[in-house]
Every structure is written in structure tokens, then in C-alpha cells.
Amino acid sequence: MSATKILIVGGGYVGLYTALTLKKKAGNHVDITIVDRRPYMTYQPFLPEAAAGSIEPRHAVVPLRREMSGVRVLQGKVTSIRHGSREVDVASDFGDEWTLGYDEIVIALGSVARTLPIPGLAEFGIGFKYVEEAINLRNRVLGRLARAASTQDPLLRRRLLTFVFVGGGFAGVEAFAETEDMARAALRYYPELTPEDLRFVMVEMMPRILPEMGEEMGDYTLKELRERGMEVFLETKLESCVDGHIELSNGEKFEADTLVWTAGVKPSPVLAASDLPLGPKGHVICSPTLQVTDEEGTVVEGAWAAGDCAQVPDLTKEQPAYCAPSAQHAVRQARHLGKNLADHLAGRALADYKHKHLGLVASLGLNKGVADVMGVKLRGWPAWFMHRTYHMSQIPTVNRKARVIVDWTTALFFRRDLVSMGRIHEPRRAFKEAADS
Ligand SMILES: Cc1cc2nc3c(=O)[nH]c(=O)nc-3n(C[C@H](O)[C@H](O)[C@H](O)COP(=O)(O)OP(=O)(O)OC[C@H]3O[C@@H](n4cnc5c(N)ncnc54)[C@H](O)[C@@H]3O)c2cc1C
């Protein structure tokens, strides 16, 4: 009997862990192909530390080809899914196009930044979901310090040193706090600048930040950030940011040179170009067995989904609810999906996915953090230590664990590396100048 052709679209948490589990459980009975735009899985919880220089950005990603022997990896963008004819269209960044066939598909496309039609946002803002964005943010912040230190123009200096983050959820708060911590640490190398020159502004529409951690921890974090001199505007919207001229709904107007958009995520827009049944917010509808279903709950044969792009019932809640987008659910759902798919192929019964969210740990800079795990609330250094220990246990592969430990240990003895590599974004410049002269 020939092996069942499994196509996994998306090579993040769900893609990686589903492929590994399936390979283990179904062995030679499956022929797996995984498609992702990037050749690596991004361990997103480490992006704030990568942006802050505590972790080498390369170590926050897991190379797919290296970790998935026996799995075909195709680097390209999925542009449409036609499940009726079991076909997926893929386009590479270099103009190649493929149509892939399959027997079973796993939808693991994750989410994208949820933006709004705010004037200037698409041209001026940057997201915070991928390693390239973390690298850019780090180089950008350090580069702005260097430029500000050398200008005599006070208005330009103010603009260069004003950093705006929109969205006070979990990822936004971590990125905001870690980046400020790095900028403050870097000031020691710029005697021309003072801590008062730095302006870090967070804009949040809701009356509190960190809603994922509850009121008490959100209030603690707000206080901690404000004590550090960071500005947090609650119940405030970004109205415009054309060319860095920031206008807020509370009447504040100022110039900034950096705007990071961390105001939530929405399911991959590719799903809208598919014939799969979608829920009201654009997620693929799933049963607790992680099979795709229609609105009435009838299973769509041959289609599975999990993670940020899927609407998975949360069976731990008394009222009907769906699992929140989180790495915790994505990893567990992926392992569950891999096992269920292997059982399905072997004709065995499927099990329902049920996992109670254990809580969250967040880093707010070196030695600072906040945690709420199974009702245990921690602040400051203990929370930060728990954050590091937890993520060390979670980042896939011994290889990545070892590299991150080396990064942390080196930073402990020699301080983190705060060199600005802004020129990395224009690598041909020096050569072109030489050629032109
Ligand atoms: C900064 C940050 C910090 C976070 N910290 C935490 C945390 O501490 N704890 C926690 O539980 N959660 C955290 N999360 C959330 C967590 O990372 C996500 O919930 C998790 O990554 C979801 O996994 P996924 O596999 O569904 O999606 P992803 O891991 O995002 O994977 C989706 C994959 O699909 C690929 N892809 C997308 N579109 C296409 C396409 N058209 N064609 C081909 N490939 C495509 C992407 O390149 C990506 O590799 C954090 C998120 C961010 C951004």
C-alpha cells in the first residue's frame, strides 16, 4: 500500500510539532510535505529578548530542514487551497509556482497582524511577529541612539528617541518593556544622552494592559512601567501616524521615528481564498478532534487544523468558548492532531482535545517580570527567572536550548551585545560607493 500523502501548510508551532508527531506515530505510512514561506519555525516568545539583545536572533528560530529528516520541506507562500479537488497553490518569492496534491491536509497557517485603516500605518509602522522584525527593531533603536547622540538639533533628537508601541497585550508589553530596557542599558555608551531623552510610549484602546493576565498583574505591570518613566495611554487610540507625526485620540500630538504595531492578530488571510468552512472571525472551524467541520459540525473529510488559524472548542470551559491563540495551545493541539491523524489512518478511534490553559509568564527586561501560573502570581526577579526556565524547557530541540543558554550566560558575564548593525539593512551601500567613486 502506498503512503498517505500529507500536506502541512505552515511550518510554525503547529506545522513542526504535527510533522514530528506524525512521523513518530505513523512512520512509513505517511509521506509528509510541509510548506512555509520561511525555512524555519519561529519561537515567538523569544522575539522580545532577541530584539533586546539578550538572545542571538538566529537562536530564536528552529531550521525546519535540519529538524525534520524524512519530511519534504518546500519554501513558498500558499496562495490558495482548493480542498474540493485536494489541491494547494504555492508561489516562491522568486517567481516559481507549484500546485500540490494531497490525501490529507493540515492547516497550520497561524495568524497575521490585525491592522486598522489608520492614515500612515501601512507605510510607517512595523509589526512584531517575525525574527526579521525583531532584528530590525533592535538595529533601529540602537541606530537611533547613535544618530541622536551626534545631532545638535533638539527636535530631531526628540523624534529619533521617541518609540511608540500600539497594543498593550502580552506580546506588545513584552516587546515594549524589553526594548526600553535595552535602550536604557545602551545609554552608558552615549554620554551625550540622558535617560530623560528617551521617550517610550504605549497606546492601548482598552482600560488596562496585559488583559491575558488579569487585573492584578495588569495593574502591577502598568505601575512598574510608569515607574520606569515609560508612558502608557489607556483608553486611547492611534488616529494617524503619517510620516511619524503621531496623533492620538486623547489629543496628544508628537513626532516619533519608530512605531511598532502589536495590537492583536487575525487568522491567516489565505483561508479566505479557500473553500474551507470559516467561522465569524475567519478561523477554520474545527471539532475537538481537530478535524475541520462545517457550521453544523459535519466533518470535512481529509482536512485538519490547529493553532492560531483554527477555531477549536475549549472543552475546559462551562460556557461554549474557543481556545485562545497561544503557543501553549498550539504545541499541545499539534501533538494531539498528529496522534489523531495517525489513529485515523490506522482506523482507530479519535480523542477530543482538552487542555486547561496553565497561565502566562512575561519578561519586562533583565531581572524584571510578571507571571500568573495556575493561580500563583509572581513579580520581579522570581517571575523573570520563571520566564527563562519555562521557555528554556519549551523551545524545541536540544541544539536551540544549548545555544540560548550560552547567549544568556555570555550576557551575564560580559553584558549583552549592544552594537548597532543598522547598515545590515543596506549591504550593498559600501560596495556601491566604492564602485561609484
Ligand atoms: C512576540 C510574541 C510573543 C509571544 N509569546 C507567547 C508566550 O509567551 N506564550 C504563549 O503561549 N504564546 C505566545 N505567543 C503566541 C504564540 O507564538 C502563537 O500563538 C503561536 O505561534 C501559534 O502557533 P501557530 O503554529 O498557529 O502559528 P505560527 O507559529 O505563527 O506559524 C504559522 C506559520 O505559517 C507560516 N505561514 C503563514 N502564512 C503562510 C503562507 N501563506 N504560506 C506559507 N506559510 C505561511 C508562517 O511563516 C509561520 O511559520 C507570542 C506571540 C508573539 C508574536
Side-chain angles (χ1 to χ4, degrees):
M1 207 179 77
S2 63
T4 306
K5 274 171 46 183
I6 312 282
L7 180 62
I8 302 178
V9 289
Y13 277 86
V14 172
L16 176 74
Y17 282 101
T18 301
L20 292 176
T21 311
L22 202 50
K23 201 73 205 146
K24 205 158 105 192
K25 304 272 179 201
N28 296 332
H29 301 294
V30 287
D31 168 9
I32 308 174
T33 300
I34 191 161
V35 185
D36 199 294
R37 294 188 80 173
R38 296 169 176 80
Y40 48 77
M41 172 261 190
T42 308
Y43 190 78
Q44 292 168 359
F46 273 158
L47 292 183
E49 286 205 55
S54 300
I55 291 176
E56 162 61 36
R58 233 174 257 271
H59 301 161
V61 303
V62 179
L64 293 176
R65 288 177 190 278
R66 177 178 169 144
E67 299 309 327
M68 298 210 286
S69 69
V71 173
R72 194 174 308 112
V73 177
L74 184 62
Q75 191 176 341
K77 179 183 178 185
V78 173
T79 51
S80 74
I81 302 170
R82 295 184 300 281
H83 187 61
S85 55
R86 300 280 203 276
E87 284 177 325
V88 162
D89 294 323
V90 180
S92 79
D93 288 342
F94 316 105
D96 305 294
E97 291 182 357
W98 305 274
T99 296
L100 309 177
Y102 59 86
D103 299 317
E104 305 274 340
I105 191 168
V106 177
I107 313 292
L109 290 168
S111 53
V112 297
R114 191 184 56 220
T115 56
L116 295 169
I118 294 171
L121 181 60
E123 298 76 26
F124 186 70
I126 183 170
F128 198 75
K129 231 183 120 45
Y130 298 108
V131 74
E132 55 271 23
E133 292 166 336
I135 295 172
N136 183 280
L137 183 59
R138 174 180 173 179
N139 287 331
R140 198 178 170 90
V141 172
L142 294 174
R144 294 308 183 267
L145 290 185
R147 238 185 110 194
S150 60
T151 182
Q152 302 298 320
D153 178 345
L155 291 179
L156 176 61
R157 174 182 284 202
R158 189 72 177 148
R159 177 185 162 111
L160 289 166
L161 296 181
T162 300
F163 305 95
V164 180
F165 287 68
V166 184
F170 187 77
V173 167
E174 273 202 312
F176 183 55
E178 283 280 357
T179 315
E180 189 267 353
D181 194 60
M182 173 191 71
R184 197 162 292 278
L187 283 182
R188 69 168 64 231
Y189 306 115
Y190 296 98
E192 306 85 348
L193 305 177
T194 67
E196 291 69 41
D197 289 328
L198 284 180
R199 186 172 186 204
F200 274 77
V201 181
M202 170 160 276
V203 182
E204 169 54 53
M205 216 167 76
M206 307 297 286
R208 76 166 71 118
I209 56 169
L210 266 186
E212 301 91 335
M213 279 202 183
E215 198 172 341
E216 185 185 341
M217 301 321 264
D219 288 350
Y220 163 79
T221 307
L222 182 64
K223 191 166 155 276
E224 152 83 20
L225 296 178
R226 284 182 171 159
E227 278 172 10
R228 277 160 64 172
M230 302 163 78
E231 294 168 57
V232 181
F233 294 118
L234 299 176
E235 297 182 84
T236 306
K237 290 183 196 163
L238 174 72
E239 305 243 289
S240 172
C241 58
V242 177
D243 296 331
H245 181 70
I246 310 289
E247 291 185 21
L248 305 182
S249 60
N250 61 3
E252 284 266 339
K253 291 186 180 136
F254 54 91
E255 300 289 318
D257 214 33
T258 304
L259 183 136
V260 188
W261 183 264
T262 53
V265 293
K266 63 178 182 190
S268 167
V270 177
L271 298 173
S274 79
D275 53 2
L276 295 166
L278 304 185
K281 293 185 178 167
H283 302 82
V284 189
I285 305 176
C286 275
S287 66
T289 54
L290 303 174
Q291 289 167 291
V292 175
T293 70
D294 65 14
E295 280 171 21
E296 280 74 48
T298 307
V299 168
V300 175
E301 290 299 332
W304 307 73
D308 283 11
C309 70
Q311 181 181 292
V312 179
D314 186 344
L315 300 184
T316 65
K317 300 268 164 57
E318 281 169 17
Q319 302 297 325
Y322 299 111
C323 298
S326 76
Q328 213 178 105
H329 277 305
V331 172
R332 286 170 175 84
Q333 287 173 1
R335 290 196 179 119
H336 195 89
L337 194 165
K339 182 170 180 309
N340 265 0
L341 182 44
D343 285 344
H344 169 75
L345 297 177
R348 293 188 289 265
L350 307 186
D352 284 348
Y353 172 78
K354 186 174 180 183
H355 166 71
K356 190 164 168 38
H357 205 257
L358 300 174
L360 282 166
V361 285
S363 169
L364 302 175
L366 271 185
N367 300 316
K368 303 177 235 354
V370 58
D372 183 354
V373 180
M374 293 194 286
V376 179
K377 297 178 177 22
L378 297 174
R379 301 166 171 83
W381 188 85
W384 174 81
F385 185 72
M386 185 185 238
H387 171 267
R388 287 209 156 177
T389 319
Y390 173 74
H391 286 300
M392 182 44 54
S393 72
Q394 293 300 306
I395 187 167
T397 80
V398 175
N399 178 311
R400 259 38 201 173
K401 289 184 203 303
R403 287 175 197 266
V404 170
I405 287 178
V406 170
D407 287 346
W408 282 342
T409 313
T410 317
L412 195 67
F413 291 107
F414 299 104
R415 297 207 183 103
R416 55 185 146 182
D417 218 337
L418 294 175
V419 60
S420 162
M421 294 276 240
R423 285 281 167 98
I424 205 163
H425 305 287
E426 28 179 2
R428 292 193 63 252
R429 185 167 161 168
F431 183 73
K432 191 166 179 305
E433 279 170 8
D436 287 348
S437 66

